Amino acid sequence: MLIACGDALIDFVPTRNTGGREAVMPAVGGSCLNVAIGMARLGAPTGFVGGVSTDMFGRMIADHATASNVELGLATRSDHQTTLAFVRIVAGESHYAFYDAETATRNWTYRRGAIPFASIEAVHIGSTTLVNDQGAAETKALIADARASSTISFDPNCRPNLVKNKPAYLARMAEFAGHADLIKMSDVDFAYLFGEEPHERAKVLLGQGTSLVVITRGNNGAIAWHASAGQIEVQAPKVEIADTIGAGDSFQAALLFALHKQGRIGRQQLKDTGADELRRALSFAAKCAGLTCTRPGADPPWSHEVTWSV
């Protein structure tokens, strides 16, 4: 099984009402939940770990996840309210306003011994859960137990408007990166975290023990560095864009799914992955991200919508 650990929330995505005025539409989201949904829809056995409310929005999240074949037995249900995020698109980029005080996600705690890591091939972490101290501490405890048998996937998915102490946040992200086997981030996040030439930073991360570093670049595709296969670039498909919400999560989900299908998701198998295998996986991920961009909100593709072939 593959699992994603982190945020589950409701995005209020921009739309227009019948009179042409700005309006918003509720859609299930949260970066880590999106990754779980993306993997499950493509056909991988997938679970989600995190806090999910029992309120109206939490029921929407649970129903959406279940309908997408995500196993919620590892999630923690509580009567804390659901995190809400309001989205505006500015110059093609999604900007968020979060309402996340005392929510189910913020109050999630890691239940040691509750996750059968021996049967978990990979654990994905990242996003808003790692901004606050409690979420970061609980996630650290989880990956400390997971690393003995599971590959660690990490996408910081930065939200600068939530960061109160940038130096401390940068140090925290560097620490999580140091424990990850696979790191994926957008070029925007890379600039926020490192502000330097990606090639040199990728070499540093690979030198720390990471096997694969991927940077997505929107319309310019993605570039990856692998410890033994070297540098690989893939193009983005040309699509009619509705919005880019969830595109990076869809890329992450599809990449993990493709590695799983190729038998390359395990830590040692990932280290041994060849350039051709990586190129196929990255191209598939770019295709899935492109399809997600053609519809509003985080709505990753199903297996019947995209073709995976080894």
Side-chain angles (χ1 to χ4, degrees):
M1 176 180 277
L2 311 178
I3 65 172
C5 171
D7 50 339
L9 51 81
I10 297 293
D11 284 321
F12 286 85
V13 299
T15 184
R16 297 276 177 179
N17 64 19
T18 54
R21 298 180 61 184
E22 285 190 13
V24 292
M25 175 183 69
V28 175
S31 177
C32 293
L33 180 66
N34 292 340
V35 171
I37 286 172
M39 294 189 294
R41 286 184 175 185
L42 291 172
T46 305
F48 174 74
V49 178
V52 178
S53 178
T54 55
D55 67 10
M56 176 183 70
F57 291 126
R59 292 193 295 274
M60 285 177 58
I61 290 169
D63 290 346
H64 181 70
T66 300
S68 296
N69 301 319
V70 175
E71 169 59 51
L72 289 180
L74 300 176
T76 302
R77 303 300 299 272
S78 74
D79 59 3
H80 296 289
Q81 65 186 6
T82 299
T83 300
L84 307 180
F86 289 80
V87 189
R88 293 203 79 187
I89 310 299
V90 180
E93 289 286 334
S94 300
H95 294 255
Y96 294 82
F98 289 92
Y99 294 81
D100 191 32
E102 298 302 317
T103 61
T105 292
R106 286 287 292 272
N107 283 280
W108 167 76
T109 57
Y110 168 50
R111 295 175 291 166
R112 192 159 200 173
I115 302 174
F117 288 116
S119 62
I120 304 297
E121 293 180 277
V123 177
H124 175 72
I125 60 168
S127 197
T128 59
T129 304
L130 306 184
V131 175
N132 67 82
D133 292 343
Q134 178 178 325
E138 298 295 335
T139 305
K140 284 180 189 177
L142 182 147
I143 63 173
D145 288 348
R147 274 189 59 79
S149 56
S150 307
T151 297
I152 306 300
S153 162
F154 172 52
D155 177 3
N157 196 27
C158 304
R159 295 289 178 254
N161 59 319
L162 296 180
V163 175
K164 307 302 181 186
N165 183 336
K166 185 175 180 180
Y169 177 74
L170 297 184
R172 177 178 291 169
M173 294 303 99
E175 183 179 358
F176 277 109
H179 293 299
D181 301 292
L182 187 161
I183 299 170
K184 192 279 293 180
M185 68 184 80
S186 70
D187 51 359
V188 174
D189 286 348
F190 181 90
Y192 179 73
L193 292 175
F194 303 117
E196 60 186 61
E197 204 282 316
H199 181 74
E200 294 303 317
R201 173 54 60 171
K203 287 199 299 184
V204 171
L205 293 169
L206 294 176
Q208 294 176 176
T210 300
S211 292
L212 180 63
V213 177
V214 182
I215 296 178
T216 56
R217 304 176 296 176
N219 291 332
N220 295 316
I223 183 168
W225 295 265
H226 184 265
S228 61
Q231 182 175 317
I232 299 165
E233 292 189 52
V234 298
Q235 298 301 309
K238 296 187 183 303
V239 297
E240 189 72 27
I241 295 177
D243 64 46
T244 60
I245 298 169
D249 303 328
S250 183
F251 185 103
Q252 183 86 42
L255 176 59
L256 291 169
F257 168 82
L259 292 170
H260 164 74
K261 291 294 287 184
Q262 293 178 115
R264 294 299 188 182
I265 196 69
R267 181 170 294 118
Q268 187 58 51
Q269 290 79 8
L270 181 60
K271 288 181 181 294
D272 295 337
T273 306
D276 288 342
E277 292 172 308
L278 285 171
R279 186 171 287 105
R280 285 196 296 272
L282 291 163
S283 296
F284 180 74
K287 182 178 181 179
C288 289
L291 183 52
T292 302
C293 289
T294 65
R295 44 212 196 190
D299 188 7
W302 293 80
S303 58
H304 67 266
E305 297 178 291
V306 289
T307 302
W308 165 256
S309 58
V310 178

